[in-house]
Amino acid sequence: MEWHESVFDLIDMRSFSNLWFWLALSVVWSTTSHWILGVPFDLVQRASRHGGQAEQDLHDIVRINTNRILYISGVSGMWILGFTCFALTSIAILGFYFKVEFCQAMFLLGLPLSFVGLLSLDTARRIRKNGLQGEALIRKLRLHRVFVQLIGIVAIFVTGFWGMYQNLTIGVLGG
């Protein structure tokens, strides 16, 4: 037996039966719903409750991150879109046509995150276009977070069911 066979026997490389995949999935969605447009949500809450310097800090960080997101999308948005579509399509084909479980897992993680990226771009455009400040900005960031959490809930639900299906299928058929 080769050394790499021993390693793969010791570490289960199937994604949906691996605890590390589920931990990574939960960390990704927890982090994604906490950092809204690159702004930690506790700063949004603190600005809403206390105003003053916390609200000024929120305006500053939202302005910086909104400008950054819109600049990147303006300069290389089409390249990012093309590469993302190519990568997601390649991973989907490898995962679902060629039955590579790791690629299925990455697709089920990557596709919803791409929707979050598009939602963030739209939110950044609306913030700049409407010049949102104060309570209107806080309300927009909270609404954005709710949509991110909804995307995360659906993604975790679909990934969970697909993972259960994969584990039952592989368990019944014997791999």
Side-chain angles (χ1 to χ4, degrees):
M1 182 181 283
E2 298 291 326
W3 68 270
H4 65 283
E5 290 176 19
S6 299
V7 170
F8 286 135
D9 286 342
L10 181 64
I11 302 171
D12 186 9
M13 297 305 286
R14 294 183 311 128
S15 298
F16 297 116
S17 63
N18 195 328
L19 176 63
W20 291 109
F21 170 74
W22 297 105
L23 289 173
L25 182 73
S26 64
V27 167
V28 163
W29 284 110
S30 171
T31 304
T32 302
S33 68
H34 179 71
W35 290 88
I36 303 302
L37 295 179
V39 179
F41 194 71
D42 60 292
L43 181 61
V44 176
Q45 291 175 317
R46 192 168 51 244
S48 176
R49 289 184 190 135
H50 305 294
Q53 185 60 46
E55 189 172 343
Q56 184 59 45
D57 292 345
L58 176 67
H59 288 291
D60 291 342
I61 196 167
V62 168
R63 179 184 49 79
I64 290 167
N65 288 336
T66 298
N67 288 340
R68 186 178 143 267
I69 289 168
L70 294 176
Y71 175 77
I72 290 170
S73 73
V75 170
S76 57
M78 294 304 283
W79 284 101
I80 293 171
L81 178 66
F83 178 76
T84 302
C85 290
F86 171 76
L88 285 173
T89 302
S90 300
I91 291 170
I93 290 170
L94 286 170
F96 297 104
Y97 184 76
F98 290 109
K99 310 254 188 272
V100 178
E101 188 173 316
F102 178 76
C103 292
Q104 292 172 4
M106 292 301 100
F107 181 79
L108 291 171
L109 189 60
L111 182 66
L113 287 175
S114 66
F115 289 132
V116 170
L118 290 173
L119 181 65
S120 296
L121 179 61
D122 182 61
T123 301
R125 284 186 178 149
R126 288 175 191 258
I127 288 171
R128 179 188 276 177
K129 177 184 171 190
N130 298 330
L132 298 181
Q133 298 274 331
E135 192 57 40
L137 177 63
I138 292 170
R139 191 171 31 257
K140 185 67 175 172
L141 292 174
R142 283 182 176 159
L143 184 64
H144 178 82
R145 183 177 192 227
V146 167
F147 283 124
V148 168
Q149 288 174 329
L150 288 174
I151 292 170
I153 288 169
V154 171
I156 291 169
F157 183 77
V158 169
T159 303
F161 268 100
W162 184 256
M164 284 189 293
Y165 170 75
Q166 287 295 102
N167 287 334
L168 290 173
T169 303
I170 289 172
V172 169
L173 298 177

